[in-house]
């Protein structure tokens, strides 16, 4: 006793069986391409370049309301480049002043004692102390600690690392 009403057309076997006939009719029945006509082009009178194109109305209005500026001359290009360079240097200096504030302090400790060296050391010490309150020195210290740990690593049987400065 089976639950199937009719026996299946394809015999149920453990491995698939290749069937020569297809249950689907061919797709090109009744549709034939013209002589020398590519398969994708059915209408010979239509050309994709002849289709009407319309400009976006908002772009046209923007060009009318805000006409483009004339191109810059050499002096204008030079001024733009100087502004870009100045802003880049300013942002880089501010970034280094905040996130690498200990460098001027370390530099001043390596210089010969003088009024300038003492002043830079005192100002840098106060600046580093103020920034340490906010924790901006933690990424630099983390990278330094990782570098020192990697520097002290040795292979088995290798002599220990020289002491860190």
């Amino acid at each position: 006793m089976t639950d199937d009403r009719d026996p299946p057309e394809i015999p149920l076997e453990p491995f698939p069986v290749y069937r020569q006939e297809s249950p689907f009719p061919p797709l090109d029945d009744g549709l034939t391409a013209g002589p020398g006509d590519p398969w994708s082009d059915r209408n010979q009178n239509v050309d994709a370049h002849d289709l009407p194109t319309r400009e976006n109305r908002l772009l046209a209005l923007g060009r009318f309301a805000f006409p483009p500026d004339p191109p810059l001359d050499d002096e204008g290009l030079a001024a733009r480049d100087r502004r870009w360079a100045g802003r880049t240097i300013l942002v880089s200096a501010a970034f280094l002043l905040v996130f690498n504030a200990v460098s001027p302090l370390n530099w001043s400790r390596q210089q010969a004692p003088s009024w300038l060296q003492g002043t830079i050391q005192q100002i840098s010490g106060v600046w580093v102390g103020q920034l340490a309150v906010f924790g901006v020195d933690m990424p630099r210290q983390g990278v330094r600690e990782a570098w020192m740990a990697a520097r002290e690593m040795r292979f088995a049987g290798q002599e220990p690392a020289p002491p860190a400065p």
Side-chain angles (χ1 to χ4, degrees):
M1 178 173 213
T2 64
D3 292 336
D4 295 332
R5 295 183 191 159
D6 298 323
E9 295 178 14
I10 303 172
L12 300 175
E13 296 181 3
F15 299 106
V17 178
Y18 178 71
R19 294 179 54 183
Q20 294 289 353
E21 69 279 355
S22 172
F24 303 105
L27 294 176
D28 59 348
D29 282 348
L31 301 174
T32 57
D37 200 17
W39 173 259
S40 63
D41 192 4
R42 295 290 179 199
N43 190 348
Q44 293 182 0
N45 297 331
V46 175
D47 185 13
H49 300 289
D50 294 338
L51 296 174
T53 57
R54 187 170 50 171
E55 186 180 16
N56 186 347
R57 292 179 185 170
L58 190 58
L59 290 176
L61 179 63
R63 227 182 3 267
F64 175 72
F66 306 104
D69 294 333
L72 295 175
D73 58 346
D74 290 339
E75 187 177 326
L77 288 173
R80 184 183 65 186
D81 292 344
R82 281 192 304 270
R83 282 192 310 268
W84 180 87
R87 289 176 186 158
T88 304
I89 291 170
L90 183 68
V91 167
S92 300
F95 183 83
L96 289 174
L97 192 62
V98 171
F99 291 105
N100 201 17
V102 77
S103 290
L105 181 63
N106 291 338
W107 174 83
S108 67
R109 289 179 182 161
Q110 295 172 359
Q111 301 304 313
S114 68
W115 177 84
L116 181 64
Q117 179 268 344
T119 306
I120 291 175
Q121 187 172 358
Q122 288 177 352
I123 292 173
S124 297
V126 171
W127 180 247
V128 168
Q130 291 294 323
L131 290 178
V133 171
F134 298 111
V136 294
D137 60 337
M138 292 177 68
R140 188 200 58 82
Q141 279 186 325
V143 170
R144 179 157 175 83
E145 289 171 3
W147 163 251
M148 292 305 225
R151 190 172 159 223
E152 293 173 2
M153 293 176 71
R154 295 289 179 230
F155 290 107
Q158 191 177 9
E159 62 186 43

